[in-house]
Amino acid sequence: MKRIAFFISLLAALPMAAQTNAFEQFRKQQEAQFNQFKNERQEEFDTFRRRVNDEYAEFMRRAWAEFPAHEAEQPKEEKEIPPVIYEQPTPAPQQTPADQPADQPAPAPTEEPIQKEQISSIPVPQHDIQSAPIAVTPIPIVIPAPVPAPEPIAPVQPKEEPYKRVSISYHGALITIGFPQTDNFKLKGSDENAIADGWKILSDSKYDITVKSALDARKAYALCDWSYLNMLRMACEKQYGKGNDATLAQAFLLVQSGYRIRIGNDNGKLQLLVASLYDIYGLKYFTIDGTKFYVVSGDKTSRMQICESKYNKEKSLSMQIAQLPKFTSDPTPKRTLTSRKGVTASVSVNKNLIDFFNTYPQACYKGDYRTRWAAYANTPLDKSIQNALYPTLQKTISGMSERQAVEILLNWVQTAFTYKLDDEVWGHDRAFFAQETLYYPYCDCEDRSILFSRLVRDLVGLDVVLLYYPGHLATAVAFNHEERGDYLTYKNQKYIVCDPTYINAGVGRTMPGMNNQEAQVIALK
């Protein structure tokens, strides 16, 4: 009986086994077809890249045109307006009990004017204020949304062959770029033919590993355009030393990555020229076909010969930081910040990010120096800062109304930080990213407004705009409910003035001396 049952089960399993084998054969067939298709497509991509690079190199052999350099632009310097301490107006003298009318209640006790030295000890009184509209410019100051990183000329898939790993420490991050084991790249001169020959060498398929590992590093470390540019420079200089070889290799990798660059020859010294969506302050530039190309080395050249070779889909550098680079954590000692309302929060920042921000040039959009503040304000806070700082602030404002929560954050920024003019600290105007304000001992109106706008958007979820007056920067917040105070209307939404530099002033108060007829809106994302 048991034998019969065994044979029955065996017979039943045979169709299943046959079905499994058929499925496995089908899977392998589909996988083989897919791999064949992928290989054919990759061969097409490789052929396309070779053709484009060959054309680029041949164009390099032509005589390079000479261009004059434009002087580096500098941000507009304005006389900063110092902070003002809000003082509740002193009421009229009280009547004595002897001459007080019998039918009127005794007046409330008066408050003494707030003195500067009392900022850390006196509670802030709350007072009703009236609504007053602000006249703003009809067209707000708007910058474009952050754009995705450029796409490479074509997908790159290196052949499986040995390569050497070149590692660099970039703001604490150990980044490794692959170079061919048989790397024989070296320029034999600085004339057009020598440079074109060098480009042809770099276009060999054995350098696909270099292009692929560079693109992989950009993605893995969330490198913004500026950080990618400088990471490649460091990697190429480590492999080829400082000089023309490293400059051309960096230019090649940027071109393969999809960036709009040009190569200049400054009396035998190659220069990397980079196009930017934003006007970069402090760097000389050349105008080619109506586009500004910046001398990223910072050299003070006056004229040079420039190769105008280009690709169809090349993209200019973006100076916005949609995502912070993933640098190794190097936490600074904790800094404790206490507001006049008694809100205390401790925070440590990543020193590697602070060092990176020190390399970041100021830039504006379409020549409008006011747009630089939006790029700073749109940059997110580091996750480590959010994890340390936000729970404390969130717990403090939990259960409060929107206005109360914003009042707490506003007062924290107003009174927990020490104000000092940029000229006194840096010798020139310098805006901070939000985490820089949490790191450096001093800050001014623009730094406070940038930090405050970040906190309100992240912790209260309300839209914020920057509010510009000549010599001063404040903010305005869009509440979900009707609120009183000085306000402006932007996109049919009411924004209430909040000034992080008007010390002790609550929501809705404009700092004295600000001409509301000159106020301008700087939109944030």
Side-chain angles (χ1 to χ4, degrees):
M1 189 68 182
K2 289 182 179 180
R3 289 184 178 180
I4 295 175
F6 170 76
F7 284 116
I8 292 175
S9 62
L10 181 62
L11 291 172
L14 288 175
M16 295 178 62
Q19 187 176 15
T20 300
N21 290 334
F23 175 78
E24 184 63 22
Q25 290 177 357
F26 174 77
R27 186 190 67 78
K28 289 181 178 180
Q29 182 183 18
Q30 292 297 309
E31 184 177 341
Q33 291 177 354
F34 173 77
N35 287 334
Q36 180 182 358
F37 170 77
K38 185 174 69 171
N39 291 335
E40 290 174 353
R41 290 289 291 164
Q42 188 60 51
E43 182 60 34
E44 291 178 12
F45 293 142
D46 292 342
T47 301
F48 174 74
R49 286 183 62 240
R50 283 195 298 271
R51 177 174 59 79
V52 170
N53 279 313
D54 286 345
E55 292 174 355
Y56 197 101
E58 290 310 309
F59 195 93
M60 282 180 160
R61 299 187 191 282
R62 305 179 187 180
W64 294 14
E66 184 173 88
F67 290 83
H70 298 277
E71 289 301 318
E73 298 170 335
Q74 302 297 337
K76 180 181 177 181
E77 293 287 342
E78 291 186 323
K79 184 178 179 180
E80 288 188 83
I81 298 173
V84 175
I85 299 173
Y86 172 71
E87 297 185 359
Q88 175 66 13
T90 304
Q94 299 181 39
Q95 294 177 311
T96 63
D99 56 14
Q100 177 182 322
D103 58 343
Q104 292 187 12
T110 61
E111 294 178 336
E112 292 294 326
I114 299 172
Q115 303 300 319
K116 186 173 183 178
E117 60 271 14
Q118 297 174 304
I119 287 179
S120 63
S121 60
I122 298 179
V124 178
Q126 299 298 313
H127 302 281
D128 289 340
I129 55 179
Q130 302 301 314
S131 296
I134 293 176
V136 298
T137 51
I139 301 177
I141 302 163
V142 181
I143 64 174
V147 295
E151 293 291 332
I153 294 175
V156 183
Q157 187 57 52
K159 297 177 181 178
E160 294 186 6
E161 54 187 42
Y163 63 92
K164 59 182 175 181
R165 295 168 173 81
V166 174
S167 297
I168 59 169
S169 177
Y170 184 57
H171 297 293
L174 187 63
I175 298 178
T176 299
I177 303 298
F179 286 87
Q181 284 279 20
T182 57
D183 189 356
N184 59 344
F185 170 63
K186 186 169 182 59
L187 288 172
K188 296 181 180 179
S190 59
D191 60 77
E192 291 89 341
N193 284 322
I195 296 169
D197 290 342
W199 195 273
K200 292 275 286 186
I201 293 173
L202 292 169
S203 301
D204 189 279
S205 61
K206 69 182 181 180
Y207 288 92
D208 287 354
I209 184 60
T210 311
V211 177
K212 182 66 163 56
S213 58
L215 291 168
D216 288 346
R218 182 178 70 174
K219 182 178 180 180
Y221 293 92
L223 299 179
C224 62
D225 289 350
W226 184 256
S227 55
Y228 186 60
L229 171 80
N230 286 284
M231 182 278 291
L232 291 180
R233 174 185 56 78
M234 291 180 63
C236 291
E237 287 180 352
K238 185 165 184 181
Q239 174 68 359
Y240 302 113
K242 293 185 178 181
N244 287 350
D245 294 344
T247 299
L248 189 64
Q250 182 191 10
F252 175 81
L253 292 174
L254 287 169
V255 166
Q256 306 309 302
S257 302
Y259 290 92
R260 176 175 294 155
I261 67 101
R262 299 292 181 265
I263 302 169
N265 192 329
D266 184 13
N267 294 316
K269 180 181 180 180
L270 295 189
Q271 294 280 6
L272 177 65
L273 310 177
V274 178
S276 171
L277 292 172
Y278 301 80
D279 300 321
I280 303 176
Y281 292 123
L283 295 179
K284 281 198 170 189
Y285 65 93
F286 293 84
T287 302
I288 305 171
D289 294 332
T291 299
K292 294 179 180 178
F293 287 84
Y294 290 87
V295 185
V296 292
S297 68
D299 285 359
K300 307 301 181 183
T301 182
S302 59
R303 305 184 69 86
M304 69 171 68
Q305 285 75 38
I306 298 175
C307 176
E308 299 177 70
S309 294
K310 59 185 176 182
Y311 289 101
N312 291 332
K313 296 182 179 180
E314 58 188 13
K315 287 187 177 181
S316 298
L317 204 74
S318 172
M319 295 305 294
Q320 290 202 64
I321 305 177
Q323 181 182 0
L324 290 175
K326 296 178 181 178
F327 296 142
T328 304
S329 178
D330 180 16
T332 60
K334 282 191 176 181
R335 180 185 184 188
T336 300
L337 298 158
T338 302
S339 74
R340 186 176 185 233
K341 289 189 174 183
V343 178
T344 297
S346 296
V347 64
S348 174
V349 303
N350 185 353
K351 186 60 166 56
N352 285 321
L353 271 174
I354 296 297
D355 292 341
F356 167 68
F357 290 142
N358 280 329
T359 72
Y360 216 82
Q362 294 192 69
C364 70
Y365 185 65
K366 291 187 176 179
D368 190 336
Y369 71 98
R370 296 162 297 187
T371 57
R372 62 196 167 117
W373 294 315
Y376 285 87
N378 286 337
T379 300
L381 273 171
D382 186 19
K383 286 295 183 183
S384 65
I385 294 178
Q386 294 184 33
N387 294 337
L389 178 65
Y390 283 8
T392 300
L393 296 178
Q394 192 70 66
K395 183 178 179 181
T396 301
I397 64 177
S398 178
M400 293 184 176
S401 67
E402 288 179 350
R403 186 183 185 108
Q404 289 172 328
V406 172
E407 290 269 10
I408 289 293
L409 297 176
L410 180 62
N411 184 258
W412 189 70
V413 177
Q414 287 173 343
T415 62
F417 298 84
T418 303
Y419 186 96
K420 190 167 281 192
L421 297 173
D422 279 346
D423 282 344
E424 298 178 46
V425 180
W426 302 98
H428 57 84
D429 181 63
R430 173 174 173 171
F432 283 165
F433 292 93
Q435 38 236 345
E436 290 183 289
T437 302
L438 296 170
Y439 171 74
Y440 290 110
Y442 307 109
C443 57
D444 64 5
C445 64
E446 57 190 2
D447 309 323
R448 290 166 177 240
S449 294
I450 288 167
L451 174 60
F452 175 71
S453 73
R454 186 76 271 161
L455 295 177
V456 172
R457 284 176 289 170
D458 289 353
L459 295 173
V460 192
L462 299 178
D463 288 337
V464 184
V465 295
L466 299 178
L467 193 59
Y468 168 76
Y469 306 89
H472 184 61
L473 195 69
T475 66
V477 177
F479 291 91
N480 290 317
H481 307 285
E482 184 66 25
E483 297 290 352
R484 287 176 294 178
D486 293 345
Y487 70 93
L488 58 97
T489 302
Y490 171 60
K491 288 189 174 180
N492 298 319
Q493 175 70 48
K494 185 176 179 180
Y495 287 78
I496 308 295
V497 173
C498 296
D499 196 330
T501 310
Y502 191 11
I503 311 299
N504 300 319
V507 169
R509 294 192 182 277
T510 301
M511 193 167 83
M514 297 300 101
N515 183 352
N516 286 334
Q517 300 302 313
E518 298 179 350
Q520 295 174 313
V521 173
I522 303 174
L524 302 178
K525 67 175 180 66

